[in-house]
Each structure stands twice: as C-alpha cells, then as structure tokens.
Amino acid sequence: MKTLLRTLVLSLGFVPLVACSAPAADASAAKPAEVKKAFEARFPNRPVQSVTPTPVAGIYEVVVQGKQIVYTDAKADYLFVGDLIDTQKRESLTEKKMAELSKVAFSSLPLNDAFKEVRGNGARKLAVFSDPDCPFCHKLENESLAKLDNVTIYTFLFPLTSLHPDAMHKSQLVWCSKDRTAAWTGWMRGGKKLSGSADCATPIERNLALGEKLGINGTPALIFANGQMVPGAIDKDEIEKLLNAK
C-alpha cells in the first residue's frame, strides 16, 4: 500500500510539495532555533524535539513529542503532514527519518518488566509489546512467533484499554500467574481461559509509560536486537530477517 501511494504521489507531479517549495526570500536563512520558537508559539501544546532543514528551500522538518514528523515554513505559517520524497533517489525521507527515530537501544529495555520465552539456544533476542485482546497480537503469536526457534522473546504486557476494556484484567492475570509464559501462550495460542488472582504488583503501568516514551501507539510492536522497531503482525520470514540483521 505504501509503495502504491508513493507511486501515485509521484505520478501526480508531487503538486503539494511543489507548492510549498516557494518560500519568502529570507525563509531559507532561518535558524532551527528560530523555527522551533515560531512553531511552539503556534502550537504551545506540542513540544518540539528537533528542527532540521530539508533539501527543499525554506521547508523544515519538525519532530514533535510522540515522534511525529511534520513540515513547516520558517514562520510556521504553513504546515503539512505526509511523505517528503526524494524523486531522484526514489526514497521517502520521511520513512528514513521515522526509522531513525524508532531505533531503540535494546540494552536499555527494562527486561525485568517483561516475561520471557526461550526457544532452542535462545541466542536471538526479540521484545514484543502486546495486548491480550488484540486480534493482530493473536495473529502474530499464532502465525509468526509460535514458529520461531533459537530465540528469546520478551513480552511486555501493553493493554490498550480504550479498545479492549478487559485487556488490563487479562494482563494482570497473566503477570500474576505462577508460569507467566504458559498462561500467555495458553491464552494467545490456544484460547485457554485465564484464571487465578490478579491482585499482585505488576509492571503494566510502567510498560504503558515506556511505550508512550518509545512512540508505541498500537499493538503488536516488535523491537529487535539491532534497535529496529516494527509495528504490526508481520510474517515469520520478515521476523527471521530482522532477527538476523546486524
């Protein structure tokens, strides 16, 4: 779908960006700090993480809280959201930046706040933020994760209660189980009903805060040892490729 959309944008002549590439005479001379000040004056509730000039004269890439990328002129009079595409290289500069922003130092993850499942020699590492009532998480578990070998999977319970009201309770039941991995896989891969107590101390609130910090706003979200974060129920072959990536 992304490839199709990108092709369509290019075939239409990239009109939106052309229209935005004619800044005022002094716009290209603006410093990132000046753009940041102008942007935050317009949007005081959206803290700016970084401002970078783009290859398009007078247009700046702005990364706001939540790792969202937008583009603006020097005075923040005009704003647009979408892919900035290098037509010569046929690549999305926006996707490239998003990949950089999504990098996570695997060693920085609080793995004690996750439970782990070890397969084979467990040499390859993978962290998954997952919701027990998310259908895509079930798909990932059954069609991809269940088929992996020689891997250690760290699962961070990440209930999206706005979508799945009972997900918090199920997450608590999993964490409070004597065997968390067995409780999780039994529910996610076998439909075995969760039972027991849900009154123990859990890391779930910390996981939710961590997810917000990392820019995770949906499940499942996978983080690989090389720091790459990928959203969605991707297939086994793609996971294998990423597990082996340096």
Side-chain angles (χ1 to χ4, degrees):
M1 181 63 74
K2 287 184 178 179
T3 301
L4 178 61
L5 178 60
R6 191 176 304 118
T7 302
L8 179 60
V9 171
L10 292 173
S11 68
L12 290 175
F14 215 27
V15 174
L17 278 184
V18 172
C20 293
S21 63
D26 63 344
S28 62
K31 296 179 181 179
E34 295 171 340
V35 179
K36 180 177 185 292
K37 182 178 180 181
F39 188 94
E40 291 185 333
R42 298 274 191 188
F43 306 99
N45 295 324
R46 301 305 301 271
V48 173
Q49 295 181 345
S50 68
V51 175
T52 307
T54 73
V56 183
I59 299 299
Y60 297 81
E61 168 200 278
V62 179
V63 180
V64 298
Q65 189 176 47
K67 300 181 180 180
Q68 182 183 4
I69 299 172
V70 298
Y71 298 95
T72 184
D73 66 311
K75 296 181 180 180
D77 288 334
Y78 299 94
L79 182 73
F80 62 94
V81 180
D83 273 31
L84 178 58
I85 298 172
D86 185 327
T87 59
Q88 295 182 12
K89 296 181 179 179
R90 293 294 194 271
E91 69 176 11
S92 167
L93 301 183
T94 309
E95 285 187 8
K96 187 176 181 180
K97 182 68 173 187
M98 277 303 303
E100 294 175 7
L101 291 174
S102 297
K103 285 276 188 179
V104 177
F106 198 89
S107 60
S108 71
L109 293 174
L111 299 180
N112 287 336
D113 285 347
F115 58 88
K116 68 178 182 179
E117 180 183 4
V118 180
R119 312 261 190 81
N121 60 26
R124 302 181 299 174
K125 311 295 182 185
L126 171 64
V128 182
F129 285 71
S130 195
D131 177 325
D133 281 341
C134 163
F136 298 104
C137 297
H138 283 263
K139 178 180 174 66
L140 178 74
E141 289 282 347
N142 287 282
E143 298 182 10
S144 301
L145 300 185
K147 300 174 183 179
L148 298 175
D149 198 10
N150 296 326
V151 64
T152 299
I153 302 172
Y154 295 91
T155 300
F156 288 83
L157 294 167
F158 199 74
L160 301 176
T161 53
S162 61
L163 296 175
H164 312 124
D166 198 41
M168 177 64 79
H169 179 64
K170 287 188 176 76
S171 297
Q172 292 168 335
L173 286 173
V174 170
W175 189 263
C176 295
S177 298
K178 290 183 178 180
D179 188 333
R180 294 163 183 161
T181 299
W184 177 259
T185 56
W187 166 251
M188 297 297 285
R189 301 176 197 168
K192 183 178 179 180
K193 187 176 179 179
L194 293 166
S195 60
S197 171
D199 61 359
C200 70
T202 78
I204 297 172
E205 293 298 336
R206 293 194 297 273
N207 292 350
L208 294 173
L210 175 63
E212 182 177 2
K213 179 180 177 182
L214 296 178
I216 297 173
N217 52 26
T219 55
L222 296 78
I223 300 176
F224 295 85
N226 67 353
Q228 186 168 354
M229 181 162 65
V230 180
I234 59 177
D235 62 35
K236 176 182 177 292
D237 290 343
E238 183 65 16
I239 293 176
E240 290 282 3
K241 178 182 175 181
L242 293 166
L243 283 172
N244 296 326
K246 300 299 182 182

